[in-house]
Each structure stands twice: as structure tokens, then as C-alpha cells.
Amino acid sequence: MKSFTFKQFEIQQSKDVFRVGTDGVLLGALADVETASRVLEVGTGTGLISLMLAQRNSDAFFLGLDINKEAVLLTRTNFENAPFSTRLEIKHQDFKTFITEEKFDLVVSNPPYFEESDSGKDKIARQTVELNFSQLIANSARLLSEKGVFSVIIPVAAGEVFISMAKENCLFLNRRINIIGIENSKVKRLILEFSLTGKMFEESAFIIEKSPRQYSDQYLELTKEFHVFKG
């Protein structure tokens, strides 16, 4: 499968691993990584999000986990080929059984978001087969440092349930970004960020395209240090 070239790194892809997509790019560009020293990505896929975050924060160390062996092998290749490879580590690990005394300043995930179905397409990456929201939230809350941030991108339809589950795990919603696919259309995704302590709540909107297949100025500005746009 064709690789995906960014300005500072390249993503090798596979038909057996969820490919580079807009959700991952948005989370990699918007997650609150600036002050983090230790970052954990749950479900790395190709390693895209960790690579983007490593480009944005030149001091942080990144640990990625994935239950899919093929994803781990692919991520390892992408990590090793990156200019910031010394700060990137990948483990073949089920997050539900991940145990460590270490705390993380950022836990980030583009989690499975469809209920289990008969479709085999991207089954682990896109369906809540191996990891559901409740498990993701509870384990992430346990692994956060005192000032840590838990950052996810999910469908808008799942937002209120996700926020409620986070509250049950003593997580405060600090930031909500409403992702709109095409200008003047409905919100399709949410980037949500939580912490163990309450902060001033921030809410904003982000538009991906100003018209079909025409990126918005907002998206072009956000991703200009990552995407290679054809002139």
C-alpha cells in the first residue's frame, strides 16, 4: 500500500492496519502536548498521532500501545525512520491489562467507535471489540499525572455518553472542539480533553473543508507544518 509523506516523516501503511485519516491528523495537530514530558498513545495504528505530537514537542518521550501485532510492526518501522526516533517507543500490549507505576502528562487516543458488527473491515481499529469507552476512560484516568490531560477524538453522537463516563471517573472536561466536515454542515466529530482537576472550560469550532474537496483556511493553517500540499 502506498506510503503517506509528511514534511518531517513518512507513514508506511498496510491494508491490515487503519490508514492515515483526517481524525488522526486533527488529533495530532490539536491535542494539548506543549507542556508534556511523557505521552501515552492508546492504539497507535500507523503511529501517525505520536509522530505528529513528537514533531510538535521536541522534549517529550512517547510510548505507543497497540493490541494488533501488525500495527505494532508498522508503527515500529515508522518510528525508527522518523527524525525523532530516539523519543518514540511502541509496545505490543492490550491497554486493558497495561500495568505501570509511571504517570503520563498526556494520554491520547483515536479510539474504536463503532459497536461490534459482522463487518471484518478494520475490525479492531474501528469497532469496540477489544477496547470500549468505559475501559479506555477508566485506565486513562488511572495513568494521568496530577496535571495530565486525556485527549480523544470521537463521533459527536457518542459525546454525551463519553463525557458522562469521564465524570464518573473523576475527570473534568476542560476543552471541547466541535469538528465540522464542510462549512455550514453539522458537527461530525468532537475532540474532548479531560484532566483530574477542573480548569476554565474552552469550546471552539473547527471546519475542515470550505466546500467539497477544498480545505478551509483553518485546516490549511493548522496542518501547514505537517502536510505536503500540492501547489
Side-chain angles (χ1 to χ4, degrees):
M1 179 172 286
K2 188 177 180 181
S3 61
F4 201 106
T5 301
F6 289 84
K7 286 188 175 181
Q8 293 193 31
F9 55 85
E10 184 172 310
I11 300 287
Q12 298 293 328
Q13 302 192 99
S14 164
K15 63 181 179 61
D16 298 318
V17 178
F18 197 60
R19 272 75 66 199
V20 170
T22 304
D23 286 3
V25 170
L26 289 173
L27 191 58
L30 288 167
D32 184 7
V33 74
E34 285 79 5
T35 61
S37 296
R38 303 274 312 173
V39 178
L40 175 67
E41 184 185 359
V42 181
T44 56
T46 60
L48 167 67
I49 294 170
S50 286
L51 286 163
M52 291 183 69
L53 294 174
Q55 179 179 324
R56 290 175 55 204
N57 182 329
S58 60
D59 298 317
F61 177 84
F62 296 81
L63 173 61
L65 306 180
D66 206 298
I67 196 172
N68 181 349
K69 186 176 181 180
E70 292 300 318
V72 171
L73 294 173
L74 194 60
T75 294
R76 182 168 291 124
T77 296
N78 291 330
F79 280 3
E80 289 175 349
N81 291 336
F84 11 82
S85 58
T86 57
R87 299 186 289 114
L88 296 160
E89 181 183 357
I90 179 67
K91 289 185 177 181
H92 185 209
Q93 173 71 53
D94 184 343
F95 187 53
K96 297 191 299 296
T97 58
F98 178 57
I99 298 174
T100 179
E101 295 299 316
E102 193 170 18
K103 300 294 184 180
F104 296 88
D105 305 310
L106 173 63
V107 177
V108 62
S109 183
N110 177 11
Y113 52 78
F114 295 134
E115 292 301 322
E116 185 173 359
S117 71
D118 293 332
S119 172
K121 184 175 172 25
D122 300 319
K123 188 165 186 177
I124 291 177
R126 301 190 67 179
Q127 298 178 22
T128 56
V129 178
E130 295 294 346
L131 182 68
N132 60 41
F133 284 163
S134 177
Q135 294 160 339
L136 172 64
I137 292 167
N139 280 4
S140 297
R142 175 176 56 83
L143 293 169
L144 280 181
S145 65
E146 183 180 349
K147 296 182 179 180
V149 173
F150 172 42
S151 184
V152 297
I153 185 166
I154 59 172
V156 65
E160 294 311 311
V161 170
F162 198 98
I163 292 168
S164 178
M165 287 181 177
K167 188 175 181 180
E168 291 172 0
N169 284 272
C170 301
L171 289 172
F172 294 85
L173 178 63
N174 297 322
R175 187 179 181 210
R176 173 180 174 139
I177 304 174
N178 299 307
I179 307 297
I180 298 165
I182 300 177
E183 192 170 10
N184 298 320
S185 63
K186 293 181 179 180
V187 175
K188 59 179 289 190
R189 296 280 189 274
L190 299 174
I191 289 180
L192 303 175
E193 293 195 334
F194 304 86
S195 67
L196 296 170
T197 56
K199 302 176 185 177
M200 185 174 293
F201 175 68
E202 299 178 18
E203 183 169 12
S204 60
F206 188 94
I207 298 169
I208 299 171
E209 295 180 337
K210 57 187 176 183
S211 60
R213 294 179 293 282
Q214 293 291 322
Y215 287 125
S216 69
D217 293 341
Q218 195 176 18
Y219 184 86
L220 291 172
E221 177 64 25
L222 177 72
T223 60
K224 66 182 181 181
E225 299 302 322
F226 301 100
H227 271 320
V228 181
F229 291 107
K230 296 180 181 179

